[in-house]
Amino acid sequence: MQVRHRRLLALTRRHPSAILLIVQLAGLLLYPLLESTRIGPLALSGFGVAVLVVTTRMVRRTPGLMWLSVGLALPAIVMLVLQAVWHMHWLQPWSAGLEALFYFYAAGSLVAYMMGDMQATTDELFAAGATFTLLAWGFAYAYVALQAVQPGSFSAAVNAEQPRTWTELMFLSFALLSSTGIGDVIPVKPLARALTALEMFVGVMYLAAVVSRLIGLTLLRRDR
């Protein structure tokens, strides 16, 4: 048992970005199952933020600042607890905004980590996937905050007048960031359209500047 524990610890130290990517994808699949429960969103959001803080620290070569990550994460967790326990739902735009900033900061730190040398390591390839999901989660929480401040910012084919759920906004975020299309959730108000246009731009630039660079460095390493 102790040997397995050491091997697992060594694996997480070698490929922290892979652990982050797995956790995010698992959360993406689990969240719709728990979204309608009272404690589900709190548990998943708090766990996700905690894992991101730890993983950002594990990527030791990233220029990200641990104190800034914690400074963004802790207030968000406190607000999530207040919303779940004392029904202080007026805190939602603040907690969602902090979570969006946290994910964007973590994504920027991983981009700096990937761009910091002229080699494409295995962990950097995992970091490319993790960064994509970080950006998608960041914009999804930005949409949550915007919808709380400006109700009716997003519409859909089903129950068009109701607020969009986190799962719907996450679907919209992944669709825009990957340039696969908007789907059945659409931005209606001007600020919502501006924010979705920004995500489309970020998605194209990320693929063009970061992912293509890693692919080029990988091919260059194989040619040698």
Side-chain angles (χ1 to χ4, degrees):
M1 181 66 68
Q2 188 175 4
V3 175
R4 290 183 178 179
H5 178 72
R6 290 179 179 178
R7 289 180 178 176
L8 180 60
L9 184 60
L11 179 64
T12 57
R13 288 178 177 176
R14 273 199 315 270
H15 304 301
S17 299
I19 304 301
L20 172 59
L21 179 59
I22 292 172
V23 170
Q24 286 180 295
L25 294 179
L28 187 65
L29 295 174
L30 290 175
Y31 201 103
L33 301 177
L34 300 174
E35 189 175 23
S36 59
T37 65
R38 179 183 177 185
I39 198 66
L42 171 63
L44 289 174
S45 296
F47 177 74
V49 170
V51 170
L52 281 173
V53 172
V54 174
T55 307
T56 302
R57 179 65 182 87
M58 290 168 62
V59 184
R60 296 181 179 179
R61 283 171 288 181
T62 179
L65 301 174
M66 183 61 180
W67 64 267
L68 184 54
S69 297
V70 174
L72 291 172
L74 284 181
I77 294 175
V78 171
M79 291 181 186
L80 287 171
V81 172
L82 293 175
Q83 292 176 63
V85 178
W86 285 284
H87 306 286
M88 301 174 65
H89 299 299
W90 57 271
L91 290 173
Q92 186 183 42
W94 297 97
S95 61
L98 283 175
E99 287 184 87
L101 289 176
F102 178 83
Y103 284 112
F104 288 141
Y105 180 74
S109 297
L110 281 181
V111 169
Y113 163 64
M114 290 183 288
M115 303 288 283
D117 54 42
M118 294 300 295
Q119 294 181 346
T121 64
T122 301
D123 187 64
E124 287 179 353
L125 295 177
F126 282 120
T131 303
F132 186 89
T133 56
L134 284 172
L135 290 171
W137 281 57
F139 276 104
Y141 278 108
Y143 297 151
V144 171
L146 177 60
Q147 181 175 246
V149 175
Q150 291 188 353
S153 293
F154 300 93
S155 183
V158 180
N159 299 324
E161 301 301 323
Q162 294 183 5
R164 310 276 50 96
T165 65
W166 185 89
T167 302
E168 288 178 312
L169 294 177
M170 180 62 75
F171 172 77
L172 172 65
S173 183
F174 269 95
L176 294 174
L177 195 64
S178 60
S179 300
T180 57
I182 293 181
D184 62 336
V185 181
I186 58 173
V188 177
K189 294 190 176 182
L191 188 55
R193 292 184 175 182
L195 190 57
T196 53
L198 178 62
E199 182 173 14
M200 287 186 277
F201 173 78
V202 170
V204 171
M205 293 304 298
Y206 176 71
L207 293 176
V210 179
V211 176
S212 61
R213 178 179 181 273
L214 287 177
I215 294 175
L217 291 175
T218 302
L219 294 176
L220 182 62
R221 183 180 61 183
R222 290 180 180 179
D223 291 339
R224 292 177 182 177

